[in-house]
Amino acid sequence: MTPVCPFVKSARPDDSSSKKSGEIPNKHGAEHEGKAKKESGDSASISPKCPFGYDSASASPKSGSISPKCPLGYDSQTFKIGPLSCVLCQALLFDSSRCVPCSHVYCKVCISRFKDCPLCGADIEKIEPDTNLQAIVDQFIEGHARIKRSHVDTDKEEEVGDNKKVIYEDVSLERGAFLVQHAMRAFRSKNVESAKSRLSLCAEDIRDQIEKTGNTSELCSQLGAVLGMLGDCCRTLGDPGSAAAYFEESVEFLSQLPTDNQEITHTLSVSLNKVGDLKYYDGDLEAARSYYFRSLNVRREAMKHHSNVSSQTLDVAVSLAKVADADRSLGHEHEALDKFQEAIKLLECLTLKPEEAALEQRRSSVLEFLKNQLSEKQSD
């Protein structure tokens, strides 16, 4: 199952195959940008405007509305590297740095891996911070998706006040989807600090909405997924304490949601496993097994509701292997053997369709691992 995108109104910009955190695809690969669902308003509503002042008011449509589009290229219709982007990570500039003498600008982390400018080939004598350009980027991010328009009566114009319902509509993507999109690009290019910064802004926005509207299912699912991504960033940066805190908070929010949604239950079980992994490598085997077992229960319950979904069976087998490994490390040999055998039986009985080639590859890999583990135990 592919990672859940926390903003259901916008499709994921990554490819269709599931990737482990930290796996970086070719930087020249095509990015597929999801189309964001727009909020529709009355004909008397104020037209959405670009933060840079490029609005569609001059078009003066007689009927309907023109889809808002950012003149800098940050829109949901096509993929384009805008003037505020780093061409290396394809995300918005973070810690903007200018090459001397050619003056081309990149993220500091991205360009620090090169001795020659990737754009012109000039020798890089030194790298200088471009604080002015970074300030413009930061202003653009702050303004993105913060264009206000209110619900107004078609027969009577109303002035927008603090107590009026306001729709936040940006030039192309919802703010949350926009931030996550650029965070994912940066993370895949190993610019983890950039990804963490964008995700932190996104989490702050969602927390503000929760404070105003309460813990709705949509907001909890969004925040739970974003916190899990922040945990991945911290783990990659070598900060297991902060990573565990983010994963545990992710579990807290996702646990409040109904268990009949496959994506949500998958994300919840993954967060539980990630906390378990951190505990395992820290030497706290009992705590690790507890988290692995909670993840296993979540996945077993999901498989009951979606028994015809092959990925659910694979998820259960993986969780069984994790619990079995923890049992073996704790000296519970008999329990570990039972779980390894149960996982093998599940995978051997799993029938996949011809179009599920990726799942078949994963099934074969997990099955081979489990059989090796079982063989080692039986030979002891």
Side-chain angles (χ1 to χ4, degrees), residues 236-370:
T236 303
L237 291 169
D239 186 2
S242 296
Y246 279 125
F247 288 138
E248 288 172 346
E249 192 176 3
S250 171
V251 168
E252 177 186 344
F253 280 98
L254 293 173
S255 297
Q256 302 176 31
L257 302 174
T259 58
D260 57 350
N261 184 295
Q262 294 181 55
E263 293 284 6
I264 289 174
T265 54
H266 177 74
T267 306
L268 172 59
S269 65
V270 168
S271 290
L272 287 166
N273 276 338
K274 287 178 178 178
V275 179
D277 290 342
L278 291 170
K279 299 294 183 182
Y280 187 96
Y281 294 126
D282 197 39
D284 192 348
L285 298 178
E286 289 287 355
R289 188 191 184 281
S290 174
Y291 280 102
Y292 290 153
F293 193 72
R294 286 176 63 188
S295 176
L296 174 60
N297 286 337
V298 170
R299 290 178 170 182
R300 283 191 192 277
E301 192 65 26
M303 192 170 70
K304 289 179 183 178
H305 290 94
H306 308 282
S307 57
N308 60 331
V309 180
S310 303
S311 59
Q312 300 288 359
T313 304
L314 276 168
D315 284 346
V316 170
V318 170
S319 282
L320 282 167
K322 284 183 172 290
V323 176
D325 186 49
D327 281 335
R328 183 177 57 181
S329 299
L330 289 166
H332 304 156
E333 299 292 338
H334 182 70
E335 290 87 344
L337 182 62
D338 288 344
K339 290 180 177 63
F340 278 131
Q341 290 175 336
E342 182 183 354
I344 290 173
K345 184 178 179 180
L346 277 175
L347 294 180
E348 287 180 338
C349 295
L350 181 61
T351 303
L352 297 173
K353 300 175 183 178
E355 60 268 23
E356 296 179 311
L359 284 178
E360 174 57 36
Q361 185 177 5
R362 183 184 171 205
R363 184 190 78 91
S364 299
S365 177
V366 174
L367 187 57
E368 181 181 1
F369 168 79
L370 290 168

Side-chain angles (χ1 to χ4, degrees), residues 83-146:
L84 303 182
S85 299
C86 170
V87 298
L88 298 179
C89 67
Q90 300 184 346
L92 287 170
L93 286 162
F94 179 79
D95 204 0
S96 301
S97 299
R98 187 178 299 278
C99 297
V100 176
C102 68
S103 296
H104 287 125
V105 181
Y106 309 89
C107 299
K108 183 178 181 180
V109 169
C110 297
I111 193 57
S112 63
R113 305 166 190 156
F114 293 84
K115 294 182 178 179
D116 300 327
C117 176
L119 282 176
C120 67
D123 292 339
I124 300 176
E125 297 179 3
K126 64 178 179 177
I127 299 173
E128 296 178 340
D130 192 331
T131 55
N132 291 334
L133 179 57
Q134 188 59 51
I136 295 173
V137 175
D138 294 341
Q139 288 173 0
F140 176 73
I141 294 173
E142 180 60 25
H144 198 88
R146 294 190 182 279

Side-chain angles (χ1 to χ4, degrees), residues 55 70 75 207 270 272 364:
D55 59 79
C70 179
D75 61 83
R207 290 184 197 279
V270 168
L272 287 166
S364 299

